[in-house]
Amino acid sequence: MKFPPPPSSDPTRSALDWPRETGLGRELAGEIRAEVLRRRRRNRGITAAACAVLVSVLGWQYVVPHAPATPAVLASGRITAPERQILPDGSVVELKRGAAIVVEFSS
């Protein structure tokens, strides 16, 4: 519904006086009530969709089997420390077992 514009601004009058003066107070209240109901319905729909997604995610976590966490065991059964090597220029490098390094110098 298209409502007429409020009368010109008069500092002694409230902006809410125009619906009563034009006789549109009940229609305006009905439009406001209808808008409130539309928003409530929309918010309920959004809430229902969010709940459905949450239930789906939680259900998926419950249904899908997870592999049990197993502690990592070294093949040799012992932990080896990194090997330290001193390079020809005096710098020190630490390498894990089986790692290699190539040293190249240039001018």
Side-chain angles (χ1 to χ4, degrees):
M1 169 174 214
K2 186 105 170 145
F3 291 103
S8 63
S9 61
D10 182 8
T12 61
R13 297 178 46 189
S14 169
L16 300 175
D17 288 338
W18 72 268
R20 184 183 40 179
E21 292 171 359
T22 58
L24 296 173
R26 288 185 185 198
E27 289 181 46
L28 182 61
E31 290 289 325
I32 291 171
R33 194 173 302 114
E35 179 63 26
V36 167
L37 290 176
R38 277 191 294 271
R39 287 183 183 185
R40 282 183 187 165
R41 268 189 236 116
R42 183 187 66 221
N43 289 343
R44 286 180 185 154
I46 291 171
T47 302
C51 289
V53 168
L54 180 64
V55 167
S56 299
V57 168
L58 293 176
W60 180 264
Q61 292 293 323
Y62 179 75
V63 171
V64 174
H66 298 285
T70 56
V73 178
L74 297 175
S76 64
R78 63 185 180 128
I79 299 174
T80 58
E83 182 184 339
R84 274 195 145 160
Q85 291 184 358
I86 300 175
L87 301 178
D89 66 348
S91 59
V92 178
V93 66
E94 291 185 359
L95 299 173
K96 290 185 179 180
R97 182 175 170 212
I101 189 169
V102 177
V103 180
E104 291 184 21
F105 288 103
S106 63
S107 56

